[in-house]
Amino acid sequence: MQPKEDILTYLLDILSRDMPASVLNAWFDDAEILSLTEDTLTLLTSTELKRGIILSRYSKPVTDALFELFGTPMKLEVTLERTAPSKQDSCGIREFGFENFVVGDSNKFAAAAAKAVAESPGQAYNPLFIYGGSGLGKTHLLYAIMNFIRASHPEYQMRVFSAELFTNDLVNALQNKKTHEFHDKYRSADLLLVDDIQFIGGRNFSQEEFFHTFNTLYDAGHQIVLTSDRPPKEVPALEDRLRTRFESGLIVDIQPPDFETRMAIVKSKAQRMGLLLPDDVVLYLATSVTANVRQLEGTVKKIVAWRDLLHSPVDVTTAEKAIADLMRENPGLNPTPDMIISEVSAFYGVEERDILGKNRQADIVTARQICMYLVRSLTSMSLKEIGTKVFRRDHTTVMYAVEKVEEMRGTDDAFDKTINLLMENIRGK
Ligand code: ADP
Ligand code: MG
């Protein structure tokens, strides 16, 4: 794999979190990285129009994404120096397939249902409704279905869009008196793949329109797949008639991956990025980043980027820095056990090795129990994982600590405030 090409893929992946990949693809489809220096990325594109659009609309998102990737401010330049050959595959969407979706207990039903639908559209489960927390692979599965069907039924008209885009498109159609075209576009599809349908809640004209689109396709026996961050009954301000439609097929959820699946995901992502990760780094990542696959993948990407650009060693120290860096940029992400232990250690003036050790001195035991409690509250690790992977203790010890801290929070106001403060500090890191 060419590192430069990788970087473009990462860049587009980051951009596609906030904008529809179809739109990105229109402007970046044949973009290539011409050069990459310490402070400038130069892209090559094929037309003056694309160059203009990239510079005017995407400068800020691209430089933000570069900052996220490399952790230093970089400029974007775009040139037309030579006409690049058309390269459809440069966009990240193609990367989402069943073959690179790692299956574990947490997602096996969703993956199996998605595969069944891709193999027999309209005949397996209709509609298929996939829900789960952020960064757990919903969009990946949706695009995997799309890519699979694109290969097996190239003649199918697929509409792949987010509820957000649907609403915007509808607003435009209404403004430009193009509702007829709008109906045609969506209702003539053989397949409807809708990402983040929860955003349709509360937007009444959108819901009305989507209801008719849904019925038209459904009645014709055409496949509909929906993803959402929550089950239909929890989508706020969703009309009942839509909710019952969404619930009429198969509903599957995706949970955060367990430890083994996280190990497999780290290995698979690293391998695809041409990175050889030593076992201790794989273990470290799978233990530390627990709630979100996007965060896990982002860390691996960062390690690759640092290796390529800064020649950083691929080791646990770099991994630790990469996780911290990613969290600084995305405050919503989950802290690692290490971060929690280090914060509690500094706060109580107790050595980290004592927290992790066996010393029974009262202040050390308290700090240790608070750490166990915070790891349990702020990550998605199970009691058993916290026991074996972090503290080398039985899960009942962790359970006892969690219960004890919970009880103290309930009875001691000052203690409760301290815990809240600690949580804020850890999150703000
Ligand atoms: P969501 O739509 O649920 O927020 P995404 O589908 O965008 O999450 O997934 C976030 C990132 O994590 C993507 O790059 C995706 O490829 C990756 N990912 C999630 N789950 C898996 C998995 N089981 N195997 C491999 N990659 C995964
Ligand atoms: Mg998504």
Side-chain angles (χ1 to χ4, degrees):
M1 241 188 227
Q2 299 284 316
K4 273 187 190 170
E5 281 179 15
D6 290 354
I7 286 161
L8 187 58
T9 309
Y10 306 162
L11 200 67
L12 292 174
D13 277 352
I14 293 176
L15 295 181
S16 67
R17 282 186 218 147
D18 296 317
M19 39 194 113
S22 52
V23 176
L24 279 177
N25 201 29
W27 305 117
F28 289 92
D29 58 351
D30 53 9
E32 272 181 42
I33 293 186
L34 194 63
S35 72
L36 184 66
T37 65
E38 277 185 7
D39 63 354
T40 309
L41 171 84
T42 309
L43 280 184
L44 181 70
T45 185
S46 57
T47 66
E48 187 53 55
L49 177 67
K50 285 184 183 167
R51 179 173 170 275
I53 296 278
I54 292 176
L55 282 174
S56 61
R57 284 197 211 153
Y58 295 101
S59 259
K60 168 110 173 67
V62 168
T63 48
D64 286 352
L66 287 170
F67 187 77
E68 177 177 337
L69 267 178
F70 302 125
T72 113
M74 291 179 68
K75 286 194 306 273
L76 170 71
E77 283 176 5
V78 185
T79 80
L80 281 177
E81 235 141 76
R82 69 185 160 82
T83 310
S86 164
K87 199 157 56 76
Q88 294 273 323
D89 280 358
S90 64
C91 190
I93 289 189
R94 297 264 167 171
E95 296 275 308
F96 293 135
F98 288 113
E99 68 293 344
N100 60 5
F101 190 80
V102 178
V103 177
D105 279 345
S106 61
N107 60 23
K108 66 180 178 210
F109 291 118
K115 190 73 193 286
V117 159
E119 282 168 351
S120 337
Q123 285 159 36
Y125 312 104
N126 204 17
L128 173 63
F129 191 101
I130 304 173
Y131 76 90
S134 161
L136 295 182
K138 301 180 297 292
T139 302
H140 187 131
L141 282 179
L142 196 74
Y143 286 146
I145 296 174
M146 173 189 83
N147 287 328
F148 189 97
I149 296 178
R150 188 166 280 166
S152 58
H153 294 281
E155 76 284 5
Y156 276 20
Q157 279 273 359
M158 283 189 265
R159 290 276 165 237
V160 189
F161 56 91
S162 64
E164 193 103 53
L165 191 87
F166 184 82
T167 305
N168 293 345
D169 209 15
L170 179 60
V171 170
N172 281 334
L174 291 168
Q175 277 170 355
N176 303 320
K177 309 215 176 344
K178 295 236 162 93
T179 43
H180 193 70
E181 283 89 337
F182 182 91
H183 291 165
D184 273 0
K185 174 170 159 191
Y186 288 95
R187 296 184 194 176
S188 66
D190 297 307
L191 226 105
L192 216 55
L193 304 176
V194 192
D195 210 7
D196 292 319
I197 190 68
Q198 76 271 8
F199 289 124
I200 204 128
R203 296 166 172 180
N204 292 341
F205 61 99
S206 254
Q207 297 202 51
E208 164 87 23
E209 186 60 41
F210 190 74
F211 178 73
H212 295 298
T213 308
F214 186 103
N215 288 344
T216 308
L217 265 89
Y218 185 83
D219 293 343
H222 292 169
Q223 181 69 48
I224 300 164
V225 183
L226 308 148
T227 77
S228 165
D229 66 353
R230 62 199 83 188
K233 63 174 178 304
E234 287 172 24
V235 174
L238 183 70
E239 292 175 4
D240 272 350
R241 55 180 186 169
L242 271 179
R243 185 179 49 72
T244 48
R245 294 263 175 327
F246 293 172
E247 286 172 342
S248 66
L250 180 68
I251 302 185
V252 288
D253 69 333
I254 306 187
Q255 294 293 324
D258 57 25
F259 176 72
E260 278 69 32
T261 314
R262 297 199 299 272
M263 294 270 285
I265 290 174
V266 171
K267 284 185 189 156
S268 148
K269 296 287 173 190
Q271 195 196 8
R272 295 182 65 83
M273 293 176 209
L275 174 72
L276 196 69
L277 273 184
D279 287 347
D280 60 337
V281 180
V282 176
L283 194 71
Y284 179 77
L285 291 177
T287 311
S288 307
V289 183
T290 54
N292 182 316
V293 181
R294 183 176 294 126
Q295 187 177 359
L296 207 52
E297 184 175 15
T299 310
V300 177
K301 282 181 189 171
K302 216 170 238 303
I303 296 173
V304 176
W306 283 351
R307 177 201 64 181
D308 291 346
L309 291 170
L310 311 172
H311 307 292
S312 303
V314 177
D315 58 14
V316 172
T317 314
T318 302
E320 225 174 307
K321 274 177 29 204
I323 295 174
D325 222 54
L326 213 68
M327 285 206 34
R328 248 196 310 283
E329 295 152 11
N330 307 283
L333 297 182
N334 291 58
T336 67
D338 282 1
M339 291 171 179
I340 293 168
I341 292 164
S342 124
E343 185 67 29
V344 173
S345 149
F347 191 87
Y348 285 100
V350 172
E351 294 284 340
E352 287 186 32
R353 62 165 183 279
D354 285 335
I355 291 181
L356 292 169
K358 304 273 175 201
N359 194 321
R360 303 286 317 155
Q361 208 177 297
D363 58 334
I364 297 176
V365 172
T366 306
R368 187 180 298 139
Q369 288 177 332
I370 291 175
C371 282
M372 289 178 178
Y373 171 80
L374 289 173
V375 173
R376 179 68 180 150
S377 314
L378 301 178
T379 74
S380 55
M381 294 175 93
S382 66
L383 293 171
K384 185 153 169 261
E385 272 187 62
I386 298 172
T388 54
K389 302 255 167 355
V390 186
F391 295 94
R392 290 176 205 291
R393 278 177 171 78
D394 196 75
H395 74 276
T396 50
T397 311
V398 182
M399 191 161 71
Y400 174 74
V402 171
E403 281 167 5
K404 178 142 182 249
V405 172
E406 256 161 18
E407 191 191 313
M408 280 170 73
R409 287 189 76 175
T411 53
D412 181 344
D413 255 8
F415 180 77
D416 187 50
K417 285 212 176 81
T418 305
I419 297 290
N420 283 335
L421 180 72
L422 272 168
M423 284 192 178
E424 264 170 46
N425 287 350
I426 293 163
R427 287 226 167 88
K429 272 217 147 52

